[in-house]
Amino acid sequence: MTSLVPPVVGFDLDMTLIDSRPGIRACYQTLAERTGARIDADLVVSRLGPPVEEEMANWFPAEEIAEMAALYRRLYPEYAVTGTLALPGAAEAIEAVHAAGGRVVVVTAKHQPNAKLHMEHLGLDPDVVVGDLWAERKAEALKEYGAHVYVGDHVGDVRGARAAGALSVGVTTGPCDAEELRTAGADVVLDDLLAFPGWLSAYLADAPEAADPSLA
C-alpha cells in the first residue's frame, strides 16, 4: 500500500458492527414488563440508530423519558449484551484497518459503557470507543481522532461523517437502504462489511492522498 499516513477509520456500532436487535428487543421487553408500558419491541428494533431518548418518546410521556432511559441503560448489561452478535465481516473490517497500520474508532449513540461491553463480549478490538454521540455530534469524536473515513448504516452516520469532513461509507445492514444513504450524501455504499477490506485496500492504493488530511 502507498498511503501517506496510516488510516483512521470510524465505525458506527448498532447494525454496522453488531446486530444488537435480539438484545435490544429483550431489553425493551423487560422494560415493558417492569413499567407496564405497551412497547412494540419489534418496531423499536426496526429503526435502531438514534439515541434511546428519541425512542422512549414514542412510549412514555415527556416527563418520564429521562427516568426510563436511565432504567433502560441499567437493564442493558444484563439483557442486551449476550444476545447480540457481530455482523458478518465486522472482525475482518477492524483487522483490515489494523493490517494497514491504522486505527479504529467506534463512534456510537449508544451509552459508552454499554458499547464497550459489546466490544469485550464479542472480542472486537477497536482502538477507541466513544459513545453518546448522534448524527452531526459524531463529528466531535471523528475530528478529535482524525478519522479519514466513517462507516455507518444510518443517514445520521452520513451526516456525522460529512460534518467531520470524513469520507462517508454506508452499509445497507441497518434501516436505511442504498438510495437513502446516497441521497443523504454517502460517498460509497457497500452491501455489508464483508466488502470493506477489499474497498479499503483499493481506497488506500488508488487514492492515497485521500488518507492524508493535509492534502484534502
Side-chain angles (χ1 to χ4, degrees), residues 7-18:
V8 179
V9 179
F11 289 90
D12 174 54
L13 185 58
D14 289 314
M15 303 313 300
T16 298
L17 287 172
I18 64 173

Side-chain angles (χ1 to χ4, degrees), residues 10-19 86-90 138 150-154 157 169 171 173-174 192-193:
F11 289 90
D12 174 54
L13 185 58
D14 289 314
M15 303 313 300
T16 298
L17 287 172
I18 64 173
D19 184 354
L87 280 166
K138 291 190 173 192
Y150 185 56
V151 185
D153 65 283
H154 198 285
D157 301 322
V169 176
V171 287
T173 45
D192 52 37
L193 289 180

Side-chain angles (χ1 to χ4, degrees), residues 6-199:
V8 179
V9 179
F11 289 90
D12 174 54
L13 185 58
D14 289 314
M15 303 313 300
T16 298
L17 287 172
I18 64 173
D19 184 354
S20 50
R21 291 173 298 182
I24 289 177
R25 181 186 290 109
C27 198
Y28 270 97
Q29 289 170 336
T30 302
L31 181 68
E33 292 167 3
R34 295 279 184 96
T35 63
R38 297 173 65 90
I39 301 175
D40 185 340
D42 289 324
L43 178 58
V44 169
V45 299
S46 73
R47 55 190 183 198
L48 297 180
V52 67
E53 286 83 1
E54 291 190 21
E55 186 58 51
M56 291 294 173
N58 296 303
W59 313 107
F60 296 97
E63 64 272 15
E64 296 181 14
I65 289 173
E67 178 185 358
M68 292 300 102
L71 175 56
Y72 171 87
R73 289 182 175 120
R74 290 196 300 271
L75 293 170
Y76 196 97
E78 180 177 357
Y79 293 95
V81 174
T82 57
T84 289
L85 306 172
L87 280 166
E92 292 84 353
I94 291 172
E95 174 56 30
V97 178
H98 287 156
R103 301 184 75 212
V104 172
V105 182
V106 172
V107 184
T108 173
K110 191 180 297 298
H111 188 44
Q112 184 166 304
N114 291 338
K116 289 182 175 180
L117 287 176
H118 280 302
M119 299 295 93
E120 294 165 7
H121 177 71
L122 294 170
L124 299 176
D125 190 29
D127 298 279
V128 181
V129 177
V130 181
D132 305 289
L133 296 176
W134 165 240
E136 286 82 359
R137 287 201 61 213
K138 291 190 173 192
E140 298 171 16
L142 296 173
K143 288 180 178 179
E144 178 181 354
Y145 291 100
H148 308 108
V149 175
Y150 185 56
V151 185
D153 65 283
H154 198 285
V155 295
D157 301 322
V158 177
R159 286 154 47 196
R162 293 181 67 84
L167 189 82
S168 174
V169 176
V171 287
T172 58
T173 45
C176 300
D177 62 25
E179 183 178 356
E180 289 177 279
L181 294 168
R182 290 193 183 97
T183 299
D187 299 293
V188 177
V189 177
L190 306 175
D191 289 340
D192 52 37
L193 289 180
L194 291 170
F196 180 80
W199 174 83

